[in-house]
């Protein structure tokens, strides 16, 4: 009897706690029963690839805290930051490329959790981005192994990802996981008769700029397996991927949404391997945004049932608009969030944009209380 009551109480508690986390409702975010607009920036790192694990966090914590404090004061509510990148310092691999530990000194999970606690103290949601494909500096073929070899990916999921998600499950500051930044950087452009995997259409789009290394079958499996692993531990976790341009992530404008539930399932065969919202990046080229860019559309133009965040943009390639105008545009055109690039190198300008929209209403509140 008492065991049964304890069981019921636990269920009630976990439901109560889940209401205190960011969730998705239709095409927008909800927090404590209210629509929320995610406004903030990319940290994105202090020491590229060396911020967490191996006692590295102790070295950078004060600088990250300063950023969180300034973001909070500017009226921002969210921060995108990068974790493993290409496996520079975490996780720990053996010579064959299997993951054998979080990090050699075993501080990684505690570091990550401490970072979330710090963010909570400044009322900031964190979106950790695990991997990066925007460059190819994978000199030891660490990330490469995880993308091409399911056995190696399984070792990462078992040894690092699952224990990490278990350690931070339900943390109020953990808004969502992002599996990878800009997979299209390393996309191999080739014809495939299945539209999910056909990248021929992206040939003149700019995709593959860092090297033609991986097919969508490989990249989508990589994403869907990690997404499934996260949701197997924490069914309410939100997961996304950061695409370099909406072109690969929409069925509008004659494009193919390669990250649709259908395509991810085809590549990964994992029931929970589906994404919860879009993270489009948007930069102009020679002063002009392309015709698919977030800054020339309403979010409804992408005809998606999920929220759309624009997770990278800046005024240097902002179609001659100021940072304030860029933030204002996203708030006023149905998007669910805006994270500019970046807070460390261009912080004052980003914070002016964040501050500009901090009291806006009509498309979700920005001030949150974690
Ligand atoms: C966005 O939607 C509004 C209202 O439907 C419309 O007036 C406006 O032209 C649209 N803007 C863009 C850039 O599509
Ligand atoms: C937003 O509201 C706060 C608190 O009321 C106020 O201090 C701040 O000046 C306002 N900022 C803008 C940009 O309107």
């Amino acid at each position: 009897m008492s065991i049964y009551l304890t069981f019921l109480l636990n269920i009630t508690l976990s439901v109560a706690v889940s209401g205190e986390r960011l969730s998705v409702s239709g095409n927008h975010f909800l927090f404590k029963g209210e629509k929320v607009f995610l406004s903030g920036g990319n940290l994105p790192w202090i020491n590229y690839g060396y911020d967490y694990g191996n006692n590295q966090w102790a070295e950078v914590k004060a600088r990250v805290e300063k950023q969180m404090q300034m973001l909070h004061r500017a009226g921002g509510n969210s921060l995108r930051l990068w974790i493993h990148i290409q496996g520079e310092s975490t996780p720990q691999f053996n010579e064959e490329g299997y993951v054998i530990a979080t990090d050699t000194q075993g501080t990684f999970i505690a570091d990550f959790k401490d970072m979330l606690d710090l963010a909570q103290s400044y009322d900031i949601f964190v979106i950790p981005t695990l991997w990066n494909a925007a460059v190819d500096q994978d000199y030891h073929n660490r990330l490469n192994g995880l993308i091409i070899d399911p056995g190696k990916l399984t070792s990462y999921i078992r040894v690092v990802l699952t224990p990490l998600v278990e350690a931070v499950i339900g943390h109020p500051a953990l808004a969502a996981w992002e599996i990878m930044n800009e997979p299209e950087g390393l996309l191999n452009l080739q014809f495939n008769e299945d539209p999910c995997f056909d990248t021929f259409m992206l040939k003149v789009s700019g995709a593959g700029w860092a090297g033609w290394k991986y097919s969508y079958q490989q990249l989508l499996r990589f994403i869907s397996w990690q997404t499934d692993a996260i949701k197997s531990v924490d069914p309410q976790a939100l997961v996304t991927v950061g695409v370099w341009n909406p072109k690969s992530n929409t069925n509008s404008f004659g494009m193919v949404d390669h990250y649709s539930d259908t395509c991810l399932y085809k590549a990964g065969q994992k029931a929970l391997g589906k994404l919860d919202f879009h993270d489009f990046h948007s930069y102009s080229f020679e002063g002009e945004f392309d015709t698919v860019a977030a800054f020339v559309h309403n979010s409804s133009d992408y005809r998606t049932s999920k929220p759309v965040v624009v997770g990278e943009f800046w005024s240097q390639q902002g179609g001659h608009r100021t940072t304030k105008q860029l933030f204002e545009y996203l708030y006023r055109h149905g998007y669910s969030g805006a994270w500019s690039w970046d807070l460390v190198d261009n912080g004052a300008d980003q914070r002016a944009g964040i501050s500009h929209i901090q009291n806006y209403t009509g498309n979700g509140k920005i001030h949150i209380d974690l």
Side-chain angles (χ1 to χ4, degrees):
M1 176 70 169
S2 69
I3 288 174
Y4 180 64
L5 280 180
T6 310
F7 175 68
L8 279 182
L9 190 64
N10 278 342
I11 290 180
T12 314
L13 280 176
S14 68
V15 169
V17 168
S18 75
E20 308 287 290
R21 293 172 70 180
L22 188 73
S23 64
V24 163
S25 173
N27 63 1
H28 60 268
F29 293 109
L30 215 52
F31 181 63
K32 295 185 178 175
E34 287 185 276
K35 184 175 178 180
V36 171
F37 181 89
L38 297 178
S39 175
N42 285 268
L43 183 64
W45 56 76
I46 300 294
N47 296 321
Y48 185 82
Y50 293 84
D51 285 345
Y52 311 95
N54 298 321
N55 289 307
Q56 295 162 155
W57 173 243
E59 300 293 312
V60 300
K61 179 176 176 177
R63 279 174 280 172
V64 173
E65 176 162 15
K66 182 83 190 141
Q67 288 296 331
M68 289 176 173
Q69 192 181 62
M70 290 191 290
L71 176 61
H72 176 69
R73 282 188 190 145
N77 65 13
S78 46
L79 185 62
R80 179 173 180 256
L81 43 77
W82 294 17
I83 310 298
H84 302 305
I85 302 191
Q86 298 195 331
E88 282 83 354
S89 75
T90 67
Q92 188 188 356
F93 292 82
N94 69 11
E95 301 237 312
E96 287 76 47
Y98 287 87
V99 173
I100 55 168
T102 51
D103 56 315
T104 53
Q105 297 177 46
T107 69
F108 178 77
I109 288 179
D111 289 354
F112 189 90
K113 193 168 173 301
D114 195 50
M115 177 271 291
L116 291 179
D117 291 346
L118 195 62
Q120 184 180 0
S121 74
Y122 290 100
D123 294 322
I124 288 173
F125 280 132
V126 171
I127 297 83
T129 298
L130 299 175
W131 306 100
N132 181 28
V135 296
D136 187 13
Q137 298 168 345
D138 187 16
Y139 308 119
H140 305 282
N141 287 318
R142 292 171 181 156
L143 174 59
N144 180 69
L146 304 184
I147 295 173
I148 66 172
D149 183 336
K152 290 176 182 170
L153 182 57
T154 300
S155 72
Y156 168 72
I157 288 171
R158 185 172 50 79
V159 175
V160 178
L161 188 57
T162 299
L164 176 64
V165 178
E166 281 168 351
V168 296
I169 187 167
H171 198 297
L174 180 63
W177 300 88
E178 181 172 303
I179 306 297
M180 187 172 235
N181 176 63
E182 303 189 355
E184 286 75 23
L186 295 174
L187 189 62
N188 196 1
L189 301 173
Q190 62 199 355
F191 174 76
N192 189 295
E193 55 195 26
D194 187 327
C196 285
F197 308 134
D198 179 29
T199 51
F200 189 77
M201 290 226 328
L202 292 173
K203 243 186 177 148
V204 292
S205 71
W209 68 89
W212 289 20
K213 284 182 90 167
Y214 308 116
S215 65
Y216 262 136
Q217 283 102 319
Q218 293 170 318
L219 290 165
L220 296 179
R221 175 183 63 204
F222 177 79
I223 292 161
S224 84
W225 282 27
Q226 290 175 80
T227 304
D228 178 85
I230 291 168
K231 295 186 178 199
S232 297
V233 175
D234 180 3
Q236 284 153 358
L238 303 182
V239 186
T240 189
V241 66
V243 297
W244 106 111
N245 185 301
K247 285 175 183 174
S248 60
N249 196 193
T250 182
N251 287 319
S252 284
F253 318 113
M255 306 284 164
V256 173
D257 181 3
H258 296 278
Y259 302 90
S260 67
D261 296 354
T262 311
C263 291
L264 281 161
Y265 186 79
K266 259 187 201 168
Q269 306 283 313
K270 297 285 190 190
L272 302 180
K274 296 170 189 167
L275 303 175
D276 299 285
F277 64 96
H278 299 263
D279 172 3
F280 293 165
H281 298 174
S282 202
Y283 295 105
S284 63
F285 179 68
E286 293 178 347
E288 300 287 334
F289 285 111
D290 66 57
T291 58
V292 179
F295 289 103
V296 297
H297 288 287
N298 287 318
S299 70
S300 58
D301 293 344
Y302 299 100
R303 294 186 291 126
T304 170
S305 59
K306 302 172 182 181
V308 179
V309 173
V310 179
E312 281 190 22
F313 61 91
W314 66 358
S315 64
Q316 288 92 320
Q317 288 162 282
H320 305 297
R321 299 185 214 177
T322 65
T323 304
K324 286 181 185 175
Q325 289 170 326
L326 294 169
F327 271 94
E328 172 146 2
Y329 186 94
L330 297 178
Y331 192 92
R332 300 277 187 224
H333 289 82
Y335 294 95
S336 296
W339 302 319
S340 63
W341 190 272
D342 70 79
L343 292 171
V344 173
D345 285 342
N346 278 293
D349 189 34
Q350 311 321 314
R351 287 186 294 273
I354 291 162
S355 189
H356 177 66
I357 66 164
Q358 65 170 308
N359 298 331
Y360 280 21
T361 55
N363 186 27
K365 66 183 286 191
I366 294 175
H367 288 280
I368 54 165
D369 186 4
L370 291 183

